[in-house]
Amino acid sequence: MPKIKLAFIQTSPVFGCIEKNTTDAVRRIAALDADIVVLPELFSTGYQFKSAAEALKYGDDAVSGYAASALSAVAKEKGVFISAGIAERYKGKAYNSAILVGPSGFIGVYRKAHLFWHEKNIFAPGNTAFKVYDIGLARVGMMICFDWVFPEVMRTLALKGADVILHPSNLVLPYCPDAMITRCLENRVFAITANRVGVEERIKGRALHFIGSSQITAPNGSVLCRAAKTRAVSKVIEV
Ligand code: ACM
């Protein structure tokens, strides 16, 4: 792999404000000098949907939707590859998805396989393969947040040739940043985990505290950077 600049953008989204969340992210991407940027899971909508119907209402197309189009446009303008989590509406179902776009537009979509907790009542289970894309600079594969718990996900991507794992997340459990050290070490890959900060309690009694701590991890297990727990922040690391 040639020298490459990997980045995450740790966000603080406002639930349901797709235009604002997307515009903020695009502005922050435009300010970075990076080759690959990862945004959090569900970066454009926020996380805690009250029902499957609500996720469908906010869900959008992975190629031509508002967030996908805006990210494709900035990817083209900046010559950057971007992976971001969105609520995807596809054939009457809502998926917790990650898209990959680049300077030539849409590249691929991954639909989350391991839905976390109440996500199972909101989203349809993922029906895409764990796929690796050769983007020229590197071979990359996507997984989403809770997928980190299942070693098979990163193993599969690594066996398919991935150099860099793109990991949009909305982490609430504290274990993932340290676990990524082992995941990267055992699979000899880089990983970019992009998380969000803040609290959502759209359902009373089910407050979710997002832990920040976005991280870029190296194949030798070193943590190249770990973000603060409570602040929106962007970071670029050349590897
Ligand atoms: C998670 O998968 N969002 C914890």
Side-chain angles (χ1 to χ4, degrees):
M1 204 173 75
K3 276 213 173 292
I4 181 169
K5 290 178 198 145
L6 308 179
F8 60 71
I9 295 186
Q10 179 163 292
T11 62
S12 181
V14 181
F15 187 91
C17 297
I18 293 177
E19 291 193 18
K20 182 198 177 327
N21 297 331
T22 303
T23 307
D24 284 353
V26 165
R27 182 179 41 76
R28 292 176 64 189
I29 292 166
L32 292 182
D33 175 17
D35 298 307
I36 302 178
V37 181
V38 181
L39 287 164
E41 179 182 13
L42 298 168
F43 93 96
S44 52
T45 53
Y47 182 81
Q48 197 178 48
F49 293 96
K50 289 183 176 167
S51 65
E54 193 183 53
L56 262 182
K57 179 180 134 200
Y58 284 103
D60 211 348
D61 192 86
V63 182
S64 61
Y66 185 87
S69 303
L71 294 180
S72 287
V74 73
K76 186 171 180 186
E77 190 186 306
K78 291 282 295 183
V80 67
F81 292 87
I82 304 165
S83 179
I86 61 162
E88 182 197 7
R89 188 172 58 231
Y90 182 74
K91 293 192 174 173
K93 290 185 178 164
Y95 292 93
N96 183 340
S97 299
I99 56 170
L100 177 64
V101 300
S104 301
F106 176 80
I107 297 172
V109 62
Y110 162 67
R111 301 186 178 124
K112 188 175 185 180
H114 302 100
L115 296 171
F116 176 68
W117 202 28
H118 295 288
E119 285 176 31
K120 296 181 191 72
N121 305 322
I122 304 292
F123 296 108
N127 59 1
T128 49
F130 299 111
K131 199 169 164 196
V132 171
Y133 301 87
D134 188 342
I135 60 170
L137 301 165
R139 288 160 300 184
V140 302
M142 292 181 279
M143 65 180 201
I144 300 176
C145 202
F146 196 51
D147 282 333
W148 73 265
V149 169
F150 303 87
E152 295 81 4
V153 178
M154 272 178 75
R155 191 69 179 155
T156 302
L157 292 170
L159 289 173
K160 288 185 172 179
D163 305 302
V164 184
I165 305 300
L166 314 178
H167 186 205
S169 297
N170 270 193
L171 298 166
V172 288
L173 303 175
Y175 317 112
C176 175
D178 286 344
M180 290 307 281
I181 295 170
T182 306
R183 291 283 172 276
C184 287
L185 195 52
E186 66 199 359
N187 291 301
R188 309 300 295 166
V189 292
F190 290 93
I192 311 170
T193 300
N195 195 25
R196 59 162 290 180
V197 298
V199 181
E200 279 186 14
E201 191 177 6
R202 299 190 64 245
I203 302 171
K204 215 167 165 34
R206 270 197 220 156
L208 293 166
H209 297 254
F210 299 98
I211 67 163
S213 313
S214 296
Q215 180 167 304
I216 300 177
T217 318
N220 66 0
S222 42
V223 175
L224 302 177
C225 63
R226 185 178 284 179
K229 289 189 161 87
T230 53
R231 255 184 322 112
V233 64
S234 309
K235 188 76 189 177
V236 182
I237 295 278
E238 187 169 48
V239 300

